[in-house]
Amino acid sequence: MQIDTDSLSPQECYRLISGIVVPRPIAWITTQSPEGVVNLAPFSCFTFVSNSPLMVGINIGRKAGREKDTARNIRALDQFVVNIADWSMVEDVHASAVEYDAHESEVENLGLTALPSVTVTPPRLEKAPISLECKLHSVTGYGNTGAEFFVGQVTRIHVSDRLYEDGRIDTRALQPVCRIAGANYATLGEIRQLKPVAQTPKSIIEPGS
């Protein structure tokens, strides 16, 4: 089978690619409006883009051409928090995707508890085993539906003690939630450990190099 992508609608393209690019990690983002309303929403187009300084990136689309609360709040404060959920939280992650009005807080409606952040205004989720406090670095638009790639510099990382050892995260213990096509989620399956491949250490590139 061959598929001509020019013949597909934006929704058809999304349905197709969301079943191809799998599994996708979920950024469970808390933001805060200028009025103080805490917003919570999951985004599965999420990755890291730099290790020095540490930066993460999230693609945020639009709803019928309208900017989502998350994007609008990030622009307003230049700050956000990426919470990483574990498998026990998958139903809350899914429920937080419901489209609430801007003056409603998903955190309150879902009965979740928010804790103050250290370096940014938006709070983090108490039950999340990992939270990344982020300050907005840049926003880049892509395509013709208004999707934008938000990059944030990580200023503080909160990690549950049970997951952290010798500078690494115990991924097995984390049991992260990932998104696959449709309203389907998964977590880690079989983990196969292979012999490490030798790599040149990462370093900072000096200006003019």
Side-chain angles (χ1 to χ4, degrees), residues 129-187:
I130 299 176
S131 295
L132 312 176
E133 298 182 13
C134 302
K135 293 185 178 180
L136 182 63
H137 172 271
S138 58
V139 181
T140 306
Y142 289 96
N144 54 20
T145 62
E148 295 173 305
F149 192 66
F150 285 70
V151 174
Q153 181 172 333
V154 180
T155 54
R156 185 65 57 99
I157 302 175
H158 300 266
V159 183
S160 173
D161 291 343
R162 67 182 177 83
L163 301 177
Y164 184 86
E165 184 175 355
D166 295 330
R168 295 179 181 273
I169 301 298
D170 185 341
T171 311
R172 291 179 190 270
L174 173 60
Q175 285 293 290
V177 179
C178 73
R179 185 75 183 271
I180 48 181
N184 297 302
Y185 298 83
T187 188

Side-chain angles (χ1 to χ4, degrees), residues 48-185:
F48 69 89
V49 297
S50 169
N51 58 303
S52 182
L54 184 58
M55 296 183 185
V56 294
I58 307 99
N59 185 72
I60 302 178
R62 299 197 174 210
K63 298 183 293 187
R66 293 183 293 110
E67 195 171 43
K68 293 183 178 180
D69 294 339
T70 298
R72 186 168 55 252
N73 291 346
I74 292 175
R75 290 186 199 279
L77 295 184
D78 289 337
Q79 300 172 352
F80 59 98
V81 177
V82 173
N83 302 280
I84 306 299
D86 64 31
W87 188 240
S88 72
M89 305 169 195
V90 63
E91 292 188 6
D92 284 337
V93 170
H94 185 65
S96 68
V98 171
E99 297 180 3
Y100 290 92
D101 290 334
H103 66 275
E104 294 183 282
S105 171
E106 292 85 354
V107 174
E108 293 181 4
N109 287 337
L110 293 174
L112 301 173
T113 300
L115 295 176
S117 295
V118 177
T119 64
V120 298
T121 300
R124 59 192 177 93
L125 294 179
E126 179 183 43
K127 69 187 301 185
I130 299 176
S131 295
L132 312 176
E133 298 182 13
C134 302
K135 293 185 178 180
L136 182 63
H137 172 271
S138 58
V139 181
T140 306
Y142 289 96
N144 54 20
T145 62
E148 295 173 305
F149 192 66
F150 285 70
V151 174
Q153 181 172 333
V154 180
T155 54
R156 185 65 57 99
I157 302 175
H158 300 266
V159 183
S160 173
D161 291 343
R162 67 182 177 83
L163 301 177
Y164 184 86
E165 184 175 355
D166 295 330
R168 295 179 181 273
I169 301 298
D170 185 341
T171 311
R172 291 179 190 270
L174 173 60
Q175 285 293 290
V177 179
C178 73
R179 185 75 183 271
I180 48 181
N184 297 302
Y185 298 83

Side-chain angles (χ1 to χ4, degrees), residues 31-39 73 77 102-103 105 108 121 123:
T31 57
Q32 186 169 311
S33 73
E35 296 74 30
V37 178
V38 178
N39 176 269
N73 291 346
L77 295 184
H103 66 275
S105 171
E108 293 181 4
T121 300

